[in-house]
Amino acid sequence: MQHIDDLLVLEQTEGMAFVSDNLWGTPVTPSAFGGQLVALSLAAAFKTVPENYLARKGMPDVALPGSTSDCPFVLDPQGYPKAFPAMIWVTELDRDHATPAPPRQQMWLECPDKQQRSEQAKQCIVAMYSDVHFTRVIVRPYGIRIAPPPRHLRKIVSIDHHMWFHQEADPNNPIFVDTWCSQLSSGRGVVQSEMFAHDRRLVATIMQEGRVEIDPSAQLPSPKL
């Protein structure tokens, strides 16, 4: 049996290029094992950074609401429909959104009452917040508002919702949500979202498929994808 460390040995050539002369392959695949190639790529990257550096998912470089005078996030005065208990900071108000835009949205969410809760209750609130403004990114390429909804927007619903928790988070502190639509066709969109705690830790990953029904007689602008 080979020693696994031997499979990670790299030799530096010219400049910042690295090679390996010990590629391993399974008996049924004459080429190299994909997992080793991924590991060698990471090992090569580690040779260009300090020894204490680790690969991890990083939060986008955005400011906390109110942290700077030029922070682009503003408190949405209309919030979520029917007085939903959440403070929402966005970079653009929905009433201002009437032109095609990329299918991506970033926002901060925070529980307004600041009550002390159990860790399980906090996680339940984070789960509830994971669906705020989620599928609305599907209609952004068409310049369609959600609040108030236009007459030609018949329906926007989620078909499924999957969530993976990574770390705990307190919704009494702002939670950053980065949402984008990776696939959009035939009235359906696949939406992905990542939630980060105020201290920039990745809290959860969410996937959802949404469906949009629009009046076919509506004159919509060309999508911006």
Side-chain angles (χ1 to χ4, degrees):
M1 180 181 293
Q2 292 197 45
H3 198 288
I4 194 166
D5 290 323
D6 295 338
L7 301 179
L8 296 174
V9 174
L10 288 169
E11 179 183 348
Q12 185 171 356
T13 59
E14 297 181 3
M16 297 299 290
F18 300 89
V19 297
S20 170
D21 59 1
N22 189 20
L23 295 181
W24 178 85
T26 65
V28 295
T29 55
S31 57
F33 174 51
Q36 184 189 11
L37 297 180
V38 174
L40 288 172
S41 298
L42 182 59
F46 280 153
K47 291 183 179 296
T48 67
V49 295
E51 291 185 0
N52 61 349
Y53 182 91
L54 291 177
R56 60 177 62 87
K57 176 64 180 182
M59 174 179 158
D61 188 16
V62 295
L64 276 165
S67 60
T68 62
S69 58
D70 58 348
C71 179
F73 291 91
V74 296
L75 184 63
D76 190 344
Q78 67 183 3
Y80 209 52
K82 296 185 178 180
F84 183 78
M87 299 172 66
I88 306 172
W89 285 269
V90 292
T91 55
E92 56 188 13
L93 299 179
D94 195 44
R95 64 172 179 265
D96 299 331
H97 180 57
T99 56
R104 186 170 188 171
Q105 178 167 293
Q106 296 178 333
M107 61 184 172
W108 290 91
L109 297 171
E110 185 177 352
C111 188
D113 60 23
K114 304 296 184 182
Q115 291 187 17
Q116 296 299 314
R117 295 178 171 88
S118 68
E119 293 301 320
Q120 290 180 338
K122 292 177 183 177
Q123 199 165 55
C124 289
I125 293 174
V126 171
M128 192 180 307
Y129 282 179
S130 71
D131 201 27
V132 172
H133 292 334
F134 201 50
T135 51
R136 71 186 299 170
V137 300
I138 298 176
V139 297
R140 283 176 57 85
Y142 298 97
I144 296 178
R145 295 186 178 99
I146 298 297
R151 285 180 295 179
H152 56 263
L153 179 59
R154 292 178 174 176
K155 185 184 296 184
I156 178 169
V157 296
S158 57
I159 299 174
D160 51 21
H161 193 96
H162 304 275
M163 187 170 188
W164 295 265
F165 290 97
H166 308 306
Q167 298 187 65
E168 72 285 350
D170 186 352
N172 285 342
N173 296 312
I175 294 176
F176 179 74
V177 186
D178 190 9
T179 305
W180 64 93
C181 178
S182 57
Q183 177 65 36
L184 176 60
S185 63
S186 303
R188 291 191 176 189
V190 177
V191 185
Q192 183 173 342
S193 183
E194 292 176 332
M195 305 179 75
F196 296 85
H198 71 288
D199 56 3
R200 314 186 76 81
R201 291 177 295 109
L202 178 62
V203 173
T205 302
I206 308 99
M207 292 286 293
Q208 188 178 90
E209 184 178 11
R211 177 168 179 79
V212 179
E213 293 184 10
I214 300 173
D215 189 335
S217 63
Q219 297 296 318
L220 296 179
S222 299
K224 184 177 182 180
L225 289 175

